[in-house]
Amino acid sequence: MHENKYLTIYHDLISRIRRGEWKAYDKLPSEHELAARFETSRETIRKALQLLSEHGYIQKMKGKGSIVLDVGKYDFPVSGLVSFKELAQTMKQPVRTIVHELAVIKPDGELKQQLRASSKDEVWKVVRVREIGGERIILDKDFFLKKHVPLLTEEICEDSIYEYLETTLHLPISFAKKEMSVDAATEEDRRYLDLNGDDRVVVVKNYVYLSDATLFQYTESRHRLDKFRFVDFARRK
């Protein structure tokens, strides 16, 4: 639990920024003040601040401390490997995950190609709708190779699959490749999402790899067009 304290502090600071405790261009308390507030070491605070910097929440300025950036446009970054539960913790609106399908399937030709799977492989298929502010606006279709994820339950899928993979299965999730497009809405989109007449959706395809470069997950995340814009935050090293 101790090794993850900086993550807890990171999420707490994000929530405070989102609530307006510190506005754009305000200066965060010093590392010393934050260490006292969270009853931890300055090294732990530095780790949390480094994450804030990497994800575009603050700019660390020599001699001036950490300056809060305008984060309103970074709600749903394309880059980064963040679970929906982690994103939901930064939102002001009520969120809910609805599991519509959880099954073990044999991959068809397309899924074999997407997951580099063979005819002998079994795949978990998880279909979930993300409801934000009472509207169903994201349809997530996840596929996991069963040889890497032997068990999934509806309870896990409603909460956080990534939290389960990392804390229970100890899978070393490392990096992802993403593709984004705007596609025509399908019958499935219209059935599961509140499209309000839209006939297009934003589609983000996500290929997730373990630390040994093994592809173990393919996700197709389908978003209502009018609700989200995807903004990447880049920092030159």
Side-chain angles (χ1 to χ4, degrees):
M1 191 67 187
H2 175 71
E3 64 180 350
N4 291 324
K5 186 165 186 179
Y6 76 96
L7 289 174
T8 302
I9 295 170
Y10 164 70
H11 290 301
D12 185 278
L13 291 173
I14 289 176
S15 295
R16 291 168 185 264
I17 291 170
R18 292 291 182 188
R19 292 197 303 267
E21 185 170 327
W22 299 295
K23 296 180 170 51
Y25 311 113
D26 283 350
K27 187 171 79 169
L28 288 183
S30 68
E31 290 180 3
H32 178 76
E33 291 171 317
L34 289 172
R37 178 181 296 191
F38 289 101
E39 299 181 342
T40 190
S41 68
R42 290 182 67 178
E43 181 59 32
T44 298
I45 295 298
R46 286 192 193 102
K47 287 183 179 180
L49 293 178
Q50 184 61 33
L51 270 184
L52 287 173
S53 176
E54 289 174 359
H55 289 89
Y57 288 95
I58 63 171
Q59 174 68 41
K60 298 172 79 174
M61 302 182 68
K62 191 173 182 179
K64 294 186 178 180
S66 299
I67 307 301
V68 176
L69 298 178
D70 182 357
V71 297
K73 58 180 78 168
Y74 304 128
D75 288 345
F76 291 90
V78 172
S79 64
L81 191 48
V82 183
S83 72
F84 183 79
K85 182 177 180 179
E86 290 168 328
L87 285 173
Q89 290 171 348
T90 70
M91 296 179 191
K92 296 178 180 178
Q93 302 180 70
V95 299
R96 185 165 70 113
T97 293
I98 306 161
V99 179
H100 283 283
E101 185 176 350
L102 173 61
V104 175
I105 63 171
K106 299 297 287 186
D108 60 15
E110 182 180 356
L111 196 52
K112 284 181 186 176
Q113 184 177 359
Q114 301 287 16
L115 270 175
R116 299 177 191 167
S118 71
S119 299
K120 296 180 180 179
D121 283 316
E122 293 185 316
V123 175
W124 283 105
K125 179 182 180 182
V126 186
V127 178
R128 294 177 291 179
V129 167
R130 314 297 194 172
E131 185 181 277
I132 303 175
E135 291 188 283
R136 301 173 301 163
I137 53 183
I138 306 173
L139 172 62
D140 279 337
K141 299 162 67 177
D142 295 284
F143 302 90
F144 300 89
L145 283 169
K146 194 171 184 288
K147 60 187 177 185
H148 298 296
V149 185
L151 175 68
L152 280 177
T153 67
E154 189 168 322
E155 290 74 23
I156 291 169
C157 297
E158 284 178 347
D159 184 38
S160 172
I161 293 178
Y162 268 32
E163 187 174 291
Y164 166 71
L165 297 181
E166 292 180 317
T167 63
T168 301
L169 298 186
H170 304 292
L171 280 183
I173 301 170
S174 182
F175 64 95
K177 183 183 76 172
K178 302 193 178 192
E179 300 175 5
M180 187 173 70
S181 62
V182 177
D183 294 356
T186 65
E187 189 58 44
E188 186 179 42
D189 295 328
R190 286 187 279 270
R191 182 166 69 251
Y192 287 130
L193 299 179
D194 298 320
L195 292 181
N196 294 345
D198 282 346
D199 60 359
R200 311 284 283 179
V201 293
V202 176
V203 180
V204 180
K205 295 182 178 179
N206 206 20
Y207 303 83
V208 188
Y209 297 78
L210 302 176
S211 58
D212 63 357
T214 297
L215 175 64
F216 84 102
Q217 176 192 358
Y218 165 68
T219 295
E220 191 173 294
S221 189
R222 306 178 69 86
H223 301 251
R224 203 171 92 181
L225 188 61
D226 69 316
K227 277 292 182 180
F228 293 96
R229 61 175 182 169
F230 297 88
V231 180
D232 191 10
F233 180 86
R235 186 178 294 280
R236 185 173 175 83
K237 300 294 185 182

